[in-house]
Amino acid sequence: MDTIQVNLDQEKPEQHLIIKDHTVVKEMFRIHLKNYFLSLITLGIYRFWAKTNMRRYLWSHVEFQGSRFEYTGTAKELFLGFVIIFFLVLLPITFFPDVYLYFFPETTMGEIGIIGGLQGLIIILLIPAALFRARRYRLTRTRWRAIYGGQSGSAFKFSILTWLYSYLLTPLSLFLFSPWASRNLMQYKLDHTWLGSLQPEFKAPVGQIFKKFIWAMFLSIITVALTAIFIIWLTAMITKSSGVSTAQEMFAALSFYWMILFYIPFLFLLAINNWYRAVETMYFLECTSISNIRFITSKKALLFAWVSVKSMMIVLLTLGLGTPWTYKMYLQFFEQNFAYVGELDVEAMAQHTLEKPTVGEGLADAIDVGAI
Amino acid sequence: MTQNNAFFYDGKSAIKHEVVLNISISHFEIMKLDGVSLTTWDYQSLVLVDQMPETGQARLSHPASPEALLLIESKDTLASIRMATPALFKKKKRSIKSISFWVFLICAAVIGGFYGLSAGADGLAKIIPLSWEEPLAISTEKQVLAVFSEAEGDRRFCEHSPGNIVFKDMVERLSLDDTPEMLKSVRVVRSDIVNAFAIPGGRVFIFKGLIDKAKTEAEVAGVLAHEIGHVQKRHPLAGAIKQFGLSTVIKAISGGSDLAGAASLLVTFSYTRKAENEADNIAAHLLKQSGYGTKGLEQFFQRLMKKDKHQLPAFLSTHPSHKKRVKNLQNKHQSIPLIDSPNRIDTLRTICD
């Protein structure tokens, strides 16, 4: 009996939940409600405190290997980070055209267009750096069993990689490079991630999900094509039946079908995109290992996509008030669908010696690309 | 008293050390199960990281070993510590002082932002050279005429009849001061609307409807002087900056874009209390200097106020209150109109014939 048990274990090692969710929607809602209204009446100034309150709660109610996480960041750090970036980066970029015009009043309309374009471009180029820096802040403010997370690497290098992979090669390849772009960027992020002194290992050959990416692209193209055909057909039908001739009348007639013309294809595209993102996230997780543990997932990408679409709808329809439910939905999904095998070598997990940023997330917050 | 069911993370590795706590009145000692002492934490500096009421767990830290964390899983152990240092577990109430500080800070930020924009716009309007306003003035003038004038081409303005001679004379009298620099043109628009306003670029428009409503020449002069006051103080440009934002106005100034809908907005938006007072003060000065006196402006205010309290033209902005404005005018520059012959106002009324 014992021998058989051992053999079975070797074939299918014991799986453990990656996270255990202890959050209570009612408690999160209480925090969220306070955050929501204080942010509103302070014209957004409270959001640094709001973010910190919610993170403290979330981190301390999620458990890994029997120990809960801890968020050690403070609102003051977030606020200072924002103030610094606001004055050093955002304000100069915003007022750049005005200052330019002040010194060169003869500027032509075309030149103004170029300046405006440059302004937008700088913001877009800053996004990857902002995200990378924000990730560093969050990791260095996360503790598990008194061990801090960390992130090495440079935000500038990460930006260059993002510009190259996502902004240049992806459009040039008619989006076919997209899976490689996300893999390479994830590689850079994980190669520079530290959980104490441990670093994750990430090996993800793109070939295995490329077929699914092609499917997602194919379904998206079909959706757009069917929408176009439907509009042409509808236009013809309206012209035939009601004798509508001018463009204005046609637009008025079509607006009745706006729901079908716009929202349904939009939801379809959103669902396809979310499905692929789910496939990718789960695949990347399965390609990651740390210490002696390896991650596995239920591969229920459709369910994951459904959770993300539902979350978006909840946030939209409740004007953001329902956000705590979406946290719960995601956490429950992670709890039920993500697992790991093996044992973490806690003895080898020591404190890292990386430098910690003293203020946080300023750039990401200033251009509003931060997560929770 | 020793208590167990506590775990210690030393911050050096992720190992979970099961420990016992030797609790005393002022501190507790954290010891390994074999009795080896790890550290001692006093209550005074103890920090409650968080607690989970549902499980009775609490996490504590202490500056003595800043990276370490103590997890207490037993309700009894927690109760012992709570007894020794009840203040630690009480929800920290924010002091009135701290709440007031934040309320003050937020109010200051909101009010500061509002007034900052206001003051910034006024200051900017004063330093931008008048000539820069020209493209903005041209496009706004076009829109004003498109919206308000009932005639076409040259006939949109009334400037060919004998009435025009009187009108020109009035403008000249009112321009005796240093206005010519700022004032580019004062024109009568062929429209029955009772209104007058200034737009950026030193242009003042007075509508035929207003001249018809006026009983005396001094009344028309009063309104004109008030609008000239706005021009002198560069209020139309400051108003446009506040209304449309700095970058839009700069684009319009540089010919980059029109201020879409500028006409309707420029004539309906109200100036600030300060701006109206400034314009009134200049008007009083000009009226006194030109010999018209302030009586005309006062009378016109009063008559229009009585007639139609709800639909006052833009030049009769709702703040400061009319009564106050009339009083101000009376106090500051009380004088009797010198030029007021019935013939002149009759001639003026023919300006659009």
Side-chain angles (χ1 to χ4, degrees):
Chain A
M1 191 67 183
D2 281 338
T3 327
I4 294 167
Q5 189 69 44
V6 168
N7 279 345
L8 266 178
D9 276 348
Q10 273 170 355
E11 271 170 25
K12 202 181 170 195
E14 199 187 343
Q15 297 183 0
H16 311 274
L17 299 177
I18 293 188
I19 61 154
K20 202 157 176 234
D21 166 35
H22 295 284
T23 59
V24 181
V25 172
K26 215 169 111 187
E27 289 170 10
M28 282 193 283
F29 189 65
R30 202 177 301 137
I31 299 170
H32 185 66
L33 206 61
K34 181 182 157 205
N35 289 345
Y36 191 89
F37 285 107
L38 282 177
S39 296
L40 267 184
I41 60 164
T42 58
L43 305 175
I45 297 169
Y46 188 75
R47 72 177 183 284
F48 310 103
W49 283 262
K51 267 186 186 179
T52 307
N53 295 342
M54 189 49 95
R55 283 181 188 171
R56 283 230 170 104
Y57 181 86
L58 284 172
W59 266 239
S60 65
H61 286 77
V62 172
E63 182 189 308
F64 169 68
Q65 272 210 346
S67 297
R68 301 185 188 211
F69 290 94
E70 182 193 345
Y71 181 72
T72 62
T74 64
K76 204 172 128 194
E77 288 167 350
L78 289 181
F79 181 63
L80 283 178
F82 172 77
V83 168
I84 292 169
I85 290 299
F86 182 77
F87 283 105
L88 287 184
V89 180
L90 207 66
L91 218 55
I93 294 175
T94 312
F95 281 102
F96 174 63
D98 302 327
V99 174
Y100 186 88
L101 274 167
Y102 182 78
F103 288 108
F104 305 100
E106 304 299 307
T107 312
T108 63
M109 228 178 114
E111 283 168 337
I112 289 171
I114 294 171
I115 294 168
L118 266 176
Q119 209 180 359
L121 192 69
I122 294 171
I123 300 274
I124 292 171
L125 291 181
L126 279 174
I127 290 176
L131 289 173
F132 195 75
R133 286 171 61 97
R135 190 173 183 272
R136 192 195 313 275
Y137 176 78
R138 281 198 297 271
L139 273 168
T140 54
R141 297 305 186 269
T142 300
R143 278 216 299 183
W144 180 78
R145 292 195 176 185
I147 299 292
Y148 284 97
Q151 182 179 264
S152 48
S154 111
F156 180 65
K157 199 169 170 199
F158 182 76
S159 299
I160 294 195
L161 290 176
T162 311
W163 304 337
L164 177 70
Y165 297 139
S166 301
Y167 299 172
L168 187 73
L169 292 178
T170 301
L172 275 181
S173 64
L174 298 173
F175 297 97
L176 289 173
F177 188 71
S178 181
W180 278 273
S182 12
R183 194 273 316 267
N184 293 354
L185 294 174
M186 183 56 83
Q187 187 84 52
Y188 188 83
K189 279 195 272 189
L190 289 178
D191 284 352
H192 294 88
T193 298
W194 296 79
L195 304 169
S197 56
L198 300 179
Q199 277 204 281
E201 230 179 277
F202 179 64
K203 277 195 194 100
V206 171
Q208 292 192 32
I209 49 162
F210 190 63
K211 216 166 114 186
K212 289 193 168 148
F213 175 75
I214 293 294
W215 263 108
M217 265 190 85
F218 174 71
L219 289 172
S220 305
I221 293 168
I222 293 283
T223 308
V224 174
L226 282 178
T227 311
I229 292 169
F230 182 68
I231 292 176
I232 294 166
W233 175 78
L234 203 64
T235 313
M237 287 298 288
I238 292 168
T239 319
K240 218 168 136 189
S241 63
S242 59
V244 169
S245 56
T246 66
Q248 220 168 359
E249 284 173 329
M250 180 56 75
F251 191 74
L254 281 178
S255 66
F256 178 72
Y257 299 98
W258 193 237
M259 188 79 183
I260 310 166
L261 291 176
F262 179 73
Y263 288 107
I264 293 179
F266 174 74
L267 274 178
F268 252 87
L269 289 176
L270 189 75
I272 296 166
N273 175 67
N274 286 7
W275 166 75
Y276 177 71
R277 291 288 150 218
V279 168
E280 193 185 67
T281 308
M282 292 173 131
Y283 175 65
F284 284 172
L285 187 66
E286 292 195 338
C287 295
T288 310
S289 61
I290 181 161
S291 175
N292 299 322
I293 67 174
R294 191 169 56 76
F295 299 103
I296 44 175
T297 73
S298 66
K299 295 196 170 63
K300 287 180 183 165
L302 266 177
L303 185 67
F304 194 0
W306 173 231
V307 169
S308 60
V309 170
K310 259 197 310 192
S311 300
M312 278 186 195
M313 301 310 263
I314 288 176
V315 172
L316 277 176
L317 295 176
T318 61
L319 300 173
L321 268 173
T323 313
W325 279 274
T326 69
Y327 295 156
K328 187 72 188 174
M329 276 161 48
Y330 273 113
L331 285 170
Q332 276 181 341
F333 179 82
F334 294 158
E335 190 181 83
Q336 288 156 15
N337 295 277
F338 294 165
Y340 69 89
V341 289
E343 281 300 323
L344 186 72
D345 185 0
V346 285
E347 273 176 59
M349 192 174 187
Q351 204 73 269
H352 65 71
T353 50
L354 297 170
E355 230 175 88
K356 289 177 194 166
T358 48
V359 291
E361 289 187 3
L363 198 54
D365 195 89
I367 45 184
D368 205 13
V369 286
I372 298 166
Chain B
M1 175 176 40
T2 53
Q3 297 275 6
N4 48 15
N5 264 341
F7 299 91
F8 185 70
Y9 304 104
D10 58 12
K12 291 181 184 109
S13 80
I15 299 172
K16 191 174 182 178
H17 302 280
E18 192 170 357
V19 290
V20 284
L21 303 183
N22 191 5
I23 299 173
S24 66
I25 303 170
S26 61
H27 63 272
F28 60 78
E29 192 181 5
I30 302 168
M31 295 184 302
K32 279 187 175 177
L33 293 182
D34 56 15
V36 176
S37 170
L38 289 169
T39 182
T40 302
W41 286 3
D42 65 72
Y43 297 129
Q44 207 142 35
S45 314
L46 200 61
V47 178
L48 176 69
V49 173
D50 49 26
Q51 58 177 337
M52 321 286 154
E54 69 273 23
T55 56
Q57 285 185 347
R59 292 192 288 192
L60 300 167
S61 71
H62 194 276
S65 27
E67 295 210 313
L69 196 67
L70 180 70
L71 169 70
I72 294 168
E73 282 192 345
S74 139
K75 283 187 179 166
D76 293 340
T77 314
L78 200 62
S80 308
I81 296 176
R82 196 194 298 267
M83 231 153 44
T85 171
L88 185 68
F89 293 87
K90 271 190 191 146
K91 252 199 168 174
K92 269 183 203 149
K93 278 192 182 158
R94 282 185 187 275
S95 67
I96 298 282
K97 217 167 138 189
S98 119
I99 294 170
S100 330
F101 171 73
W102 281 105
V103 169
F104 169 77
L105 200 72
I106 289 157
C107 291
V110 172
I111 296 167
F114 181 73
Y115 279 102
L117 181 70
S118 214
D122 288 340
L124 265 171
K126 283 186 182 105
I127 56 164
I128 293 176
L130 192 66
S131 59
W132 287 21
E133 286 182 42
E134 228 15 55
L136 179 64
I138 292 165
S139 74
T140 312
E141 187 175 288
K142 263 191 215 158
Q143 290 184 47
V144 167
L145 290 176
V147 174
F148 295 104
S149 179
E150 292 137 17
E152 294 287 317
D154 274 355
R155 280 187 47 80
R156 288 180 301 192
F157 295 113
C158 308
E159 37 202 20
H160 297 294
S161 73
N164 199 39
I165 300 168
V166 177
F167 187 70
K168 273 195 168 160
D169 177 59
M170 287 174 69
V171 175
E172 235 167 76
R173 280 171 194 272
L174 290 168
S175 311
L176 283 175
D177 211 343
D178 54 354
T179 38
E181 263 179 66
M182 296 285 174
L183 194 63
K184 284 273 172 219
S185 67
V186 185
R187 304 175 92 177
V188 180
V189 181
R190 192 184 299 277
S191 164
D192 290 335
I193 299 167
V194 183
N195 206 350
F197 53 80
I199 65 164
R203 288 154 166 79
V204 171
F205 295 107
I206 180 160
F207 288 61
K208 171 66 172 37
L210 190 138
I211 296 177
D212 291 341
K213 272 270 170 350
K215 285 214 167 125
T216 62
E217 184 185 341
E219 288 184 5
V220 180
V223 173
L224 276 178
H226 176 80
E227 293 308 326
I228 292 171
H230 280 309
V231 167
Q232 265 195 334
K233 285 284 176 184
R234 308 288 297 275
H235 292 156
L237 182 64
I241 291 172
K242 279 177 216 163
Q243 201 86 26
F244 299 103
L246 180 62
S247 58
T248 317
V249 170
I250 289 186
K251 273 178 200 151
I253 284 175
S254 57
S257 68
D258 280 349
L259 293 183
S264 51
L265 273 171
L266 277 175
V267 296
T268 51
F269 85 91
S270 49
Y271 290 110
T272 59
R273 186 189 298 266
K274 190 173 153 239
E276 292 297 355
N277 274 335
E278 280 178 353
D280 278 348
N281 284 344
I282 292 174
H285 176 65
L286 291 176
L287 289 168
K288 195 181 173 194
Q289 191 181 263
S290 60
Y292 281 112
T294 53
K295 205 110 196 155
L297 187 55
E298 285 165 35
Q299 280 170 355
F300 203 53
F301 270 158
Q302 279 166 338
R303 211 171 52 255
L304 281 173
M305 268 160 57
K306 264 187 214 158
K307 245 192 159 173
D308 199 347
K309 274 186 180 166
H310 302 293
Q311 278 192 316
L312 288 169
F315 71 94
L316 290 176
S317 167
T318 48
H319 57 270
S321 77
H322 299 103
K323 275 184 191 158
K324 225 179 203 173
R325 287 174 72 177
V326 169
K327 212 171 175 194
N328 271 350
L329 287 169
Q330 286 170 341
N331 286 346
K332 277 188 180 145
H333 302 282
Q334 204 172 33
S335 65
I336 302 145
L338 300 178
I339 316 152
D340 211 16
S341 83
N343 288 347
R344 271 172 72 96
I345 182 71
D346 287 343
T347 317
L348 185 63
R349 285 201 189 108
T350 66
I351 193 164
C352 288
D353 293 348

